[in-house]
Amino acid sequence: MKLKQNRRTVPTETIIALIDVVFFLLVFFMLIGRMDATAPFEVTPPQAQTGRDMPTGGITLAISQSGRLALDGDALPKSEISPALAKALAKDPALRLRINAHRSADLRHVLPHVSLAEALGFLDVVLVVTPETSAGVGK
Amino acid sequence: MQLARRPRPQALISLVPMIDVMLILLVFFMVTSSYLNLDMIPALRPVDEAVSSDGSAQRRLMIRLDATGTPHLRTQALSSETLDHLLRHSLALDPKTQLMILPSGAAPTQALISLMDLAASTGVKNMRVLQLEARP
């Protein structure tokens, strides 16, 4: 008697696990990251151990080592910073201004902007720092 | 004769395009993102936080930062250890001691942040940064 041989079923590779892993990685990167405009020049924030966690929101004024300025990623000449800040503050009076200055930038490039922000009426001005001793380039 | 009707094959939703899209998104986020561990130090404090509540006279300590970023008390250069000791001693005498920092415009930002960091770690709550330079 000839026995009928069962057709061997080809084992299908399950791709559900792959989708799960990819999806979790995607959600992970989307959740832990905060999208922020990067400055068009190199900015390495100063190092400090007593800094507080950076809350979300606000605008970022980046200052390069040579004193070049960028507001939320857009390079601006010094003369246009004040009107741009005033305009942003007019839209949101409780706006936070983050000053992200290069650690080697002279204070003459940095501190006048704190005074300017105070004069314009900003109530919340913070200096961006990093707890890492060798911070990556915040470009 | 009764004809057997073939069962209609179930419509399958192909997952392959979804996987493609997700992989592309994942690679995009991994390649374009640069992750930085950033904190903040307040540069402006609300007035009521900086001024003592009872209006009593405070002990004030004026530290000058020279162009190289070295802190000075009057004319004497201070090391980190000396400054730490000085701040702790002042706070022991008066917990509301106000630290006034007068930096040179040529001092690097890191020097000011390091000084503020050291002061915060010793417990100084009242700090002011003075400027002699004009506004931009």
Side-chain angles (χ1 to χ4, degrees):
Chain A
M1 191 177 112
K2 198 176 178 183
L3 290 173
K4 196 178 176 185
Q5 203 169 4
N6 270 348
R7 274 177 79 188
R8 282 183 81 182
T9 52
V10 182
T12 53
E13 288 172 11
T14 173
I15 53 169
I16 302 297
L18 174 76
I19 300 168
D20 287 350
V21 170
V22 171
F23 197 74
F24 274 113
L25 280 172
L26 182 65
V27 171
F28 170 78
F29 279 107
M30 289 176 78
L31 284 184
I32 68 159
R34 193 181 67 202
M35 292 292 186
D36 213 345
T38 52
F41 40 73
E42 183 185 319
V43 178
T44 306
Q47 191 251 329
Q49 295 302 325
T50 56
R52 297 185 207 161
D53 283 342
M54 178 100 77
T56 54
I59 52 171
T60 304
L61 175 65
I63 304 171
S64 77
Q65 190 174 357
S66 59
R68 287 170 62 201
L69 302 166
L71 193 62
D72 270 347
D74 298 326
L76 287 177
K78 205 177 268 186
S79 57
E80 287 181 26
I81 289 293
S82 180
L85 288 177
K87 193 177 166 187
L89 189 65
K91 284 183 192 165
D92 179 9
L95 189 68
R96 173 180 296 113
L97 175 64
R98 293 187 298 252
I99 297 181
N100 186 16
H102 194 287
R103 60 175 63 170
S104 302
D106 286 355
L107 286 171
R108 67 192 156 90
H109 297 312
V110 181
L111 292 180
H113 297 290
V114 179
S115 306
L116 173 69
E118 190 176 14
L120 287 171
F122 277 90
L123 300 171
D124 192 359
V125 181
V126 298
L127 296 170
V128 176
V129 295
T130 178
E132 293 164 1
T133 46
S134 55
V137 174
K139 197 180 170 188
Chain B
M1 190 178 107
Q2 198 174 8
L3 290 172
R5 187 179 280 184
R6 270 191 177 175
R8 283 182 81 181
Q10 265 193 335
L12 283 173
I13 298 172
S14 174
L15 290 172
V16 175
M18 189 181 91
I19 299 166
D20 289 350
V21 169
M22 283 205 300
L23 268 172
I24 289 168
L25 279 173
L26 181 65
V27 170
F28 170 78
F29 280 113
M30 289 174 77
V31 169
T32 62
S33 310
S34 57
Y35 288 90
L36 292 170
N37 188 4
L38 296 178
D39 285 344
M40 60 157 205
I41 287 181
L44 285 183
R45 286 172 191 274
V47 176
D48 55 345
E49 214 180 302
V51 177
S52 72
S53 53
D54 56 0
S56 60
Q58 295 166 331
R59 188 183 168 85
R60 287 199 174 91
L61 205 59
M62 167 87 81
I63 301 289
R64 191 172 56 82
L65 272 181
D66 70 8
T68 62
T70 309
H72 287 72
L73 179 66
R74 296 184 191 95
T75 55
Q76 190 187 356
L78 302 171
S79 65
S80 297
E81 292 77 26
T82 317
L83 186 59
D84 183 87
H85 179 74
L86 177 73
L87 291 173
R88 288 183 196 279
H89 178 69
S90 298
L91 284 171
L93 292 174
D94 180 4
K96 291 176 187 169
T97 297
Q98 185 181 39
L99 176 64
M100 300 172 87
I101 305 169
L102 179 61
S104 159
T109 304
Q110 179 65 66
L112 175 65
I113 297 293
S114 296
L115 180 55
M116 292 169 80
D117 200 26
L118 178 69
S121 66
T122 56
V124 174
K125 296 207 165 44
N126 197 349
M127 261 186 274
R128 281 195 76 84
V129 180
L130 308 175
Q131 287 181 75
L132 295 178
E133 281 82 10
R135 288 189 189 126

